[in-house]
Amino acid sequence: VSIDPKSIKTDYPFPDKKDFDTELSMSADWFNAGEYDSITFNSTGVEMTSDTTAKVTGDLTMLGITKPVVLDVLLNAAIEHPMTKKPAIGFSATGMVKRSDFGMLKYIPLVGDEVQLLIETEFQTE
């Protein structure tokens, strides 16, 4: 999984009329997208916990720091896509990280350190 930190969309009005999304994505206190243009998760292992669930271990890299993360993954469906008529499979993944582990310290403890990761994905054959 690769995420562009400039894709942040909060719809929150910043008090001094600056764009809050830009502040979060570009500021060195937050995601520092000028220096680090992606957040990545690379899986290193999969442990099936049932027919439709798994624990996926991998490396999360953010702000140039890589840490191991475990995601709980749910298979949502493996079906023929209703529009393309091609095989498709969808997953939901969740996990928790501490932003301080990646050097993002701004406003801790006023702003929570633990952040929930939510990844929704769908794959189709070409």
Side-chain angles (χ1 to χ4, degrees), residues 7-110:
S7 68
I8 292 171
K9 298 284 185 261
T10 63
D11 294 325
Y12 182 80
F14 207 55
D16 65 1
K17 304 298 181 198
K18 288 171 76 178
D19 180 16
F20 188 56
D21 296 341
T22 301
E23 173 68 17
L24 288 176
S25 64
M26 299 305 292
S27 170
D29 290 328
W30 299 103
F31 289 100
N32 198 6
E35 187 171 345
Y36 304 102
D37 62 354
S38 67
I39 300 164
T40 60
F41 176 79
N42 293 306
S43 64
T44 57
V46 177
E47 175 192 345
M48 297 302 299
T49 53
S50 79
D51 289 344
T52 58
T53 61
K55 298 247 184 227
V56 176
T57 57
D59 296 321
L60 179 67
T61 302
M62 183 169 64
L63 297 170
I65 298 170
T66 301
K67 297 282 184 179
V69 172
V70 177
L71 299 176
D72 293 310
V73 178
L74 172 66
L75 169 65
N76 295 320
I79 60 172
E80 177 181 271
H81 193 281
M83 298 174 84
T84 65
K85 304 300 181 199
K86 295 179 180 180
I89 190 166
F91 297 96
S92 296
T94 60
M96 294 291 283
V97 297
K98 286 188 174 186
R99 60 190 184 94
S100 61
D101 287 347
F102 297 90
M104 193 182 292
L105 306 172
K106 185 78 170 190
Y107 297 127
I108 293 174
L110 300 174

